[in-house]
Amino acid sequence: MRISGGKARGVALSVSKSSVHRPATDRLRQGIFSSLGKRIEHIDICDLFAGTGAIGLEALSRGAKSCVFVEQDQDALQTLQANISKLKLEACAHILAKDARQIHNWPGPRADLVFADPPYSSSLAGEGLHQLVVANAVVQQALFVVETRKTENCQLGPEFVLVDSRVYGIARLNFFTLARR
């Protein structure tokens, strides 16, 4: 698996040995970033259920200002730290080693964009994203990109509005914004 664009294009990332992680494919990451275009530049990101960090690291390579990676699996955390070091992104990457549903204090700037790639067939995306909103970790205009299996309906709470959905292979990318308050 390699970074597909930006300053670190072509750099190979380490992958977790854990069988519970499903790294985002190159095609899926390219789909995400081609749909976002230049909007990724100079914004703050959250990579929720980060695994080894492929999505957040790709965003940083493409010009995002900072990224908070949220992950609780120890094997993935070690691989994530190694990938951040390999890309020399320590100054703009922060790891929050925690269950996404247990976030109460946000360590970084409020996110403009949130990527969530929880285990398929779980309710973790909705619970983790809700907790980000409660913790005041996102700006009102934030965009949320949630990966699910293409056959799954992505159900989030009433504070989220689905604005787009796209299929890439076995995956579906669901794009949400916050409902107006």
Side-chain angles (χ1 to χ4, degrees), residues 42-57:
H42 312 294
I43 64 171
D44 298 302
I45 309 285
C46 172
D47 189 348
L48 199 62
F49 311 101
T52 56
I55 298 286
L57 294 169

Side-chain angles (χ1 to χ4, degrees), residues 1 13-16 20-24 29 45-58 67-73 75-77 79-81 83-84 94-100 103 114-119 147:
M1 182 172 44
L13 295 175
S14 298
V15 293
S16 173
V20 299
H21 294 101
R22 172 187 28 80
R29 283 185 287 122
I45 309 285
C46 172
D47 189 348
L48 199 62
F49 311 101
T52 56
I55 298 286
L57 294 169
E58 183 84 36
C67 184
V68 174
F69 296 88
V70 181
E71 177 58 54
Q72 67 176 353
D73 181 80
D75 183 51
L77 286 165
T79 306
L80 172 58
Q81 185 60 62
N83 284 333
I84 290 169
H94 180 83
I95 297 174
L96 184 57
K98 184 170 257 201
D99 181 329
I103 297 170
V114 178
F115 298 108
D117 184 11
E147 181 183 342

Side-chain angles (χ1 to χ4, degrees), residues 96-177:
L96 184 57
K98 184 170 257 201
D99 181 329
R101 299 168 296 176
Q102 302 300 318
I103 297 170
H104 302 291
N105 298 310
W106 190 243
R110 294 169 67 209
D112 302 290
L113 177 62
V114 178
F115 298 108
D117 184 11
Y120 285 170
S121 302
S122 76
S123 62
L124 294 175
E127 295 171 38
L129 293 173
H130 172 76
Q131 196 57 40
L132 285 180
V133 173
V134 169
N136 200 28
V138 296
V139 299
Q140 176 62 40
Q141 303 79 16
L143 179 65
F144 302 84
V145 182
V146 182
E147 181 183 342
T148 61
R149 184 177 284 119
K150 76 176 178 181
T151 56
E152 289 178 23
N153 227 353
C154 188
Q155 300 283 328
L156 300 181
E159 67 265 50
F160 298 98
V161 177
L162 180 66
V163 294
D164 195 7
S165 180
R166 301 174 187 195
V167 173
Y168 295 90
I170 65 165
R172 177 181 303 276
L173 294 177
N174 303 279
F175 296 81
F176 291 87
T177 58

